Amino acid sequence: MKSEKISELTTSRLSVYLRCLNLLAAAGIKTISSQALADQFNLNSAQIRKDLAYFGEFGVRGVGYFVDDLRQHITKILGLDRPHRVGIVGAGNLGTALANYNGFATSNFIVVALFDNDREKIGKSIGNAQVMVHDVRKLARVAHSEEIDVAVIAVTARVAQRVLNQVMSAGIKAVLNFAPVRLHARLGVKVKTVDLTVSLESLSYFLARPQITCVTNPRSILPYEEIAQREEHEL
Amino acid sequence: MKSEKISELTTSRLSVYLRCLNLLAAAGIKTISSQALADQFNLNSAQIRKDLAYFGEFGVRGVGYFVDDLRQHITKILGLDRPHRVGIVGAGNLGTALANYNGFATSNFIVVALFDNDREKIGKSIGNAQVMVHDVRKLARVAHSEEIDVAVIAVTARVAQRVLNQVMSAGIKAVLNFAPVRLHARLGVKVKTVDLTVSLESLSYFLARPQITCVTNPRSILPYEEIAQREEHEL
DNA sequence: CTCTGTGAAGTCATTCACAGCG
DNA sequence: CGCTGTGAATGACTTCACAGAG
């Protein structure tokens, strides 16, 4: 156990390990070695041991890791032991799709509100979970009353920075941004941008050079478990 | 100009530079230095020069880069000079949202077909662009007739690998995957996975430790331009 | 003997720093 | 001069390899 800075690459992998462990637990498997876990993704076993060792000594030499024990540790490390309340700004196609996305619930994220500036949409409930659409001008108020701690930005690039400013004013510290712009956050606020255009354009580069060996940089991929998921993740 | 292997980090950045250059061109700016470009994102200017130098000597010493010239070069490097035809598998919320996503068009990607197994949806047209929903069993046939070269997987994790197999059988070489599973592609097929759960769980880690300085790893962020976009990117 | 935890080595990416061109 | 292009230096992440615990 050390108290160094943890890289985001490590936390992303922890998230991946966790999903795998959940499946192993569901399958009734009690222990797993770093090697067996590494085989699930295409990772090096030392990588996994190092990632875990940042947070403690969870393993048992000669045995491996207790699945259930490790699962609880990672859940706690990632802060998934308490629920997060999500507000989605932008009730367009993407916002609506995300409000309906069941996969979040597994990670203890609950979408509690949508925000929009379209009069037609405000006041109505959307999706399976019947999430209410609020006036975006009431963001701060609703964020407080609904105890929202995570915001999703699903608006036009043009207005994304303005929305982020409102989100930050409302005291929200974690933001997932889908708008294709670089947003400026003030210190203490974490913004993660998911950019579809960049992903597609990288694919295009690959298509333009089929002769090039498919050298996916291990640092830029997010490996996943092979085992099929039980739960439905409707998109 | 060298002929080394190009990292995906480089191609992602090229995509970002390109977006910025398009804006600069629209604003009537003729030349830009690597330093000025680097200031737009928070990058080092040497990084930009190196990225570009992999593909040629596009700059002019003492001046910088000609915006329009560089723009055309990068467009060509990324293979965005010819259109890509996209098929989206899964006409659920996300698939529909993506079919409506105008941002793709800017990068010369055209969504030409949706696929689903739901009888209710098959045969109907969806979204602003009125994209037809086909029976997923006809994927290979439609992929061929519509000349689809990029597939988007927007289905459940459970069926994603099966869908990928069909996509590969149809001869499609580039795939953007939204299902939260590690997919196995055969050689010569490029799969890029966008994982929302992992992104959210990383945010959760940050929320669990607000004391930690927000050290976003420069390799894991995708920097963007500050300048507001002209075009609407409705989501 | 097996498998963890970890220092040391190796690999890859970014930044520095400067020669050299315009 | 200013700015590119690039070797050399630094830094970050991964993998190796092994001591030591069970």
Side-chain angles (χ1 to χ4, degrees), chain A residues 12-210:
Chain A
S12 294
R13 280 191 302 263
L14 287 179
S15 171
V16 171
Y17 304 156
L18 179 58
R19 196 141 55 200
C20 188
L21 290 166
N22 286 335
L23 293 168
L24 291 170
I29 294 162
K30 296 295 177 208
T31 66
I32 189 153
S33 69
S34 61
Q35 185 56 61
L37 202 54
D39 293 344
Q40 300 281 327
F41 328 109
N42 3 355
L43 283 182
N44 184 291
S45 64
Q47 174 97 82
I48 294 180
R49 294 198 298 276
K50 273 242 153 98
D51 284 340
L52 297 174
Y54 286 128
F55 301 97
E57 305 206 353
F58 304 135
V60 182
R61 287 157 202 245
V63 178
Y65 299 87
F66 290 107
V67 171
D68 224 67
D69 181 49
L70 186 56
R71 195 160 69 114
Q72 278 170 37
H73 276 299
I74 298 181
T75 301
K76 194 141 195 190
I77 291 165
L78 290 176
L80 300 170
D81 50 339
R82 69 177 188 88
H84 289 293
R85 299 174 65 82
V86 180
I88 299 174
V89 188
N93 271 295
L94 184 64
T96 309
L98 292 172
N100 275 320
Y101 178 54
N102 298 354
F104 290 162
T106 329
S107 315
N108 224 343
F109 286 87
I110 313 153
V111 177
V112 295
L114 278 157
F115 298 92
D116 210 297
N117 58 4
D118 182 346
R119 289 247 179 98
E120 291 291 310
K121 290 173 182 165
I122 294 167
K124 291 177 182 152
S125 291
I126 275 182
N128 320 328
Q130 289 294 299
V131 179
M132 172 69 87
V133 182
H134 298 270
D135 189 323
V136 70
R137 287 172 297 184
K138 292 184 186 157
L139 197 145
R141 209 175 317 163
V142 177
H144 189 254
S145 66
E146 288 283 0
E147 295 180 288
I148 291 172
D149 58 353
V150 177
V152 172
I153 297 185
V155 299
T156 295
R158 203 163 40 85
V159 298
Q161 182 66 58
R162 220 179 308 158
V163 166
L164 176 61
N165 295 343
Q166 284 182 272
V167 163
M168 292 190 295
S169 300
I172 296 169
K173 298 272 185 290
V175 179
L176 188 61
N177 170 47
F178 285 89
V181 248
R182 170 129 177 84
L183 296 177
H184 290 270
R186 67 157 169 268
L187 218 71
V189 177
K190 179 84 166 186
V191 177
K192 238 185 147 160
T193 294
V194 173
D195 195 299
L196 305 183
T197 306
V198 168
S199 302
L200 268 182
E201 294 192 351
S202 283
L203 277 180
S204 174
Y205 173 82
F206 167 77
L207 275 176
R209 285 140 221 274

Side-chain angles (χ1 to χ4, degrees), chain B residues 58-74:
Chain B
F58 305 134
V60 181
R61 286 158 201 245
V63 179
Y65 300 87
F66 290 108
V67 170
D68 224 68
D69 181 51
L70 186 56
R71 195 159 70 112
Q72 279 170 37
H73 275 299
I74 298 181

Side-chain angles (χ1 to χ4, degrees), chain B residues 84-96:
Chain B
H84 289 293
R85 297 173 66 82
V86 179
I88 299 174
V89 188
N93 271 294
L94 184 64
T96 308

Side-chain angles (χ1 to χ4, degrees), chain A residues 75-82 84, chain B residues 202-212:
Chain A
T75 301
K76 194 141 195 190
I77 291 165
L78 290 176
L80 300 170
D81 50 339
R82 69 177 188 88
H84 289 293
Chain B
S202 283
L203 277 179
S204 175
Y205 173 82
F206 167 76
L207 275 176
R209 287 139 220 275
Q211 72 282 10
I212 285 191

Side-chain angles (χ1 to χ4, degrees), chain B residues 8-21:
Chain B
E8 214 163 300
L9 295 161
T10 296
T11 61
S12 293
R13 281 191 301 262
L14 286 179
S15 170
V16 171
Y17 304 156
L18 180 58
R19 195 139 58 198
C20 187
L21 290 166

